[in-house]
Amino acid sequence: MTQSNVRIVLAILLFPVAEFLPGLIEMYNVYNGSGWPPSIQRALVGPVLTNIIMVSYWILLWRRQVHWTQSRVGWTSLIGVASLAFGAALVALFVTFAKDDIAIGIMTLGDVPSYTWILGTAFVWRETRQERLERLKGFGTERVSCPVCKYSMTGLRESRCPECGAQFTIDELFSAQHDRQEEFEQA
Ligand SMILES: [Zn+2]
């Protein structure tokens, strides 16, 4: 499994992880006979926790894959603020049209900001064509490198690394480059 595959699995787990703790807390409240509808404070606990977990998890998961320019940081924050405003507007609409308690609105729609924020980051964090070209330039220029110290072994007539002295068979060298090829394909 490549690192990218692992990240995809972790990304899928984001939602259950983010809902688990708030779900437990709410279950505890219900079993302890807390009244219904919940107070606004109680209703806020779940969504606030879920949003914090989702945003932190998402940043931790992708921070090394994102090329953090000033513009990206700016857009990421802006989308965060806009998402919060959007979530609040949805709760207000819910209360108006469903004529329901504000606490119920918060519990129903309170997770929306992190969902829209994550959707936004998928666009903002995506690398531009230019950035991709810059990144790929590094590959391919040194076609063969030492698997141990990464020293370029292009043009050598033996499979011993002149830099660190490590000995390889031809097939070991080949398969080590193949790993690198995999990295390249993911890119
Ligand atoms: Zn070496």
Side-chain angles (χ1 to χ4, degrees):
M1 217 180 195
T2 62
Q3 284 201 10
S4 297
N5 295 144
V6 173
R7 277 204 187 83
I8 289 167
V9 172
L10 288 175
I12 292 169
L13 286 176
L14 164 72
F15 301 101
V17 166
E19 300 292 347
F20 183 71
L21 183 62
L24 272 186
I25 292 173
E26 187 47 33
M27 228 155 75
Y28 174 85
N29 283 332
V30 170
Y31 279 99
N32 275 277
S34 301
W36 194 264
S39 64
I40 292 180
Q41 286 93 321
R42 186 180 131 201
L44 272 170
V45 170
V48 167
L49 268 179
T50 301
N51 284 309
I52 290 175
I53 294 171
M54 296 250 276
V55 169
S56 331
Y57 190 114
W58 197 244
I59 291 174
L60 283 176
L61 189 59
W62 298 110
R63 82 206 135 108
R64 296 224 176 113
Q65 264 60 41
V66 179
H67 184 72
W68 292 109
T69 58
Q70 220 174 9
S71 143
R72 278 211 177 87
V73 174
W75 275 107
T76 302
S77 324
L78 193 70
I79 291 173
V81 174
S83 298
L84 279 175
F86 178 66
L90 279 185
V91 171
L93 277 176
F94 176 88
V95 173
T96 311
F97 287 103
K99 295 195 174 24
D100 209 335
D101 206 87
I102 188 160
I104 306 295
I106 291 170
M107 283 186 127
T108 315
L109 298 161
D111 297 347
V112 168
S114 50
Y115 287 89
T116 52
W117 178 78
I118 283 177
L119 190 67
T121 62
F123 290 98
V124 173
W125 293 359
R126 209 182 139 187
E127 66 182 354
T128 61
R129 218 176 118 75
Q130 190 57 37
E131 284 169 343
R132 182 180 161 83
L133 284 175
E134 287 293 322
R135 189 165 52 80
L136 293 184
K137 262 188 205 161
F139 296 100
T141 44
E142 290 181 6
R143 300 276 279 272
V144 183
S145 60
C146 169
V148 177
C149 71
K150 304 293 173 205
Y151 183 80
S152 169
M153 292 174 72
T154 305
L156 296 184
R157 289 175 188 278
E158 54 170 9
S159 57
R160 180 183 165 278
C161 172
E163 179 68 13
C164 71
Q167 296 264 15
F168 308 97
T169 59
I170 299 286
D171 54 307
E172 277 168 353
L173 259 189
F174 180 78
S175 65
Q177 311 306 311
H178 189 75
D179 290 346
R180 205 155 169 250
Q181 182 66 27
E182 203 174 52
E183 255 173 59
F184 175 79
E185 276 160 8
Q186 288 172 26

